[in-house]
Amino acid sequence: DGGITQSPKYLFRKEGQNVTLSCEQNLNHDAMYWYRQDPGQGLRLIYYSQIVNDFQKGDIAEGYSVSREKKESFPLTVTSAQKNPTAFYLCASSIAGGRRQPQHFGDGTRLSIL
Amino acid sequence: AQKVTQAQTEISVVEKEDVTLDCVYETRDTTYYLFWYKQPPSGELVFLIRRNSFDEQNEISGRYSWNFQKSTSSFNFTITASQVVDSAVYFCALSEEGAAGNKLTFGGGTRVLVKP
């Protein structure tokens, strides 16, 4: 079945450590996105990519990095510079075509500090 | 700047009651799109509906209906005859105009709890 796969489901980070969250989609979507969700709050955009080898910062990009080497993959690295990384991270993708296209989401990765 | 407000943080109803979720938005765009998503306990967001700013027709899909009123910048969502499976967090979102593609601004979400 087509969809978005995020792994791992749960991730723990030690102080000073970088961790990478995986996001893979087989929907043949051009655009991919990373969001952060804090308890009781809405989603905030971290990074997005409209095409391979290109990506843009969202509203809260500090302390995060991404790459887009393949159409189907958009990994997110939470660096040690992100001082409050505990959150639920959601990856999404959409057909290219701008604002009218709905985004489709993965099941999320829950990141906690050890 | 765009903003989406969902004033109700949590609504609790008994099964078969109707429940209406409010969404108010702010934008300077003349063309924009509004979305509703459902987030069940499993975590993923499920797309429910998209509405563009030029179409103010109300929409009904089964037990779900949406009321879009441009004059009051509102896009409210009603679940009729609620069921336990409707228990979830519901998000309203607004798309942003720009050359770099589809950026969504989300409201804070409304948690709906349907009790049997």
Side-chain angles (χ1 to χ4, degrees), chain B residues 17-74:
Chain B
E17 287 184 345
D18 297 348
V19 55
T20 295
L21 312 180
D22 298 332
C23 172
V24 174
Y25 62 92
E26 296 175 26
T27 181
R28 282 180 287 190
D29 293 352
T30 53
T31 302
Y32 52 88
Y33 292 82
L34 294 158
F35 300 81
W36 275 95
Y37 285 87
K38 174 182 179 180
Q39 186 177 41
S42 53
E44 83 280 14
L45 266 73
V46 177
F47 165 68
L48 296 178
I49 191 172
R50 173 189 62 212
R51 170 68 66 219
N52 75 56
S53 53
F54 293 106
D55 182 2
E56 292 197 62
Q57 228 176 0
N58 290 334
E59 183 154 342
I60 298 175
S61 175
R63 295 183 298 106
Y64 295 170
S65 62
W66 290 270
N67 183 341
F68 175 42
Q69 293 198 334
K70 204 168 177 178
S71 60
T72 57
S73 298
S74 66

Side-chain angles (χ1 to χ4, degrees), chain A residues 9 33 35 37 40-43 45 48 50 56-57 59 88 90 94 98-103 105-107, chain B residues 29 31-33 35 37 39 42-45 47 50 91 95-98 100-104 106-108:
Chain A
K9 197 169 180 64
Y33 313 82
Y35 291 91
Q37 184 179 19
Q41 297 187 31
L43 281 68
L45 183 65
Y48 62 104
Q50 298 296 309
Q56 286 80 39
K57 291 181 180 180
D59 299 319
F88 188 53
L90 283 157
S94 70
R99 297 165 291 137
R100 69 183 305 273
Q101 299 300 337
Q103 294 179 17
F105 287 80
D107 289 348
Chain B
D29 293 352
T31 302
Y32 52 88
Y33 292 82
F35 300 81
Y37 285 87
Q39 186 177 41
S42 53
E44 83 280 14
L45 266 73
F47 165 68
R50 173 189 62 212
F91 290 99
S95 69
E96 179 176 337
E97 183 167 4
N102 183 9
K103 291 175 60 177
L104 286 176
F106 283 84

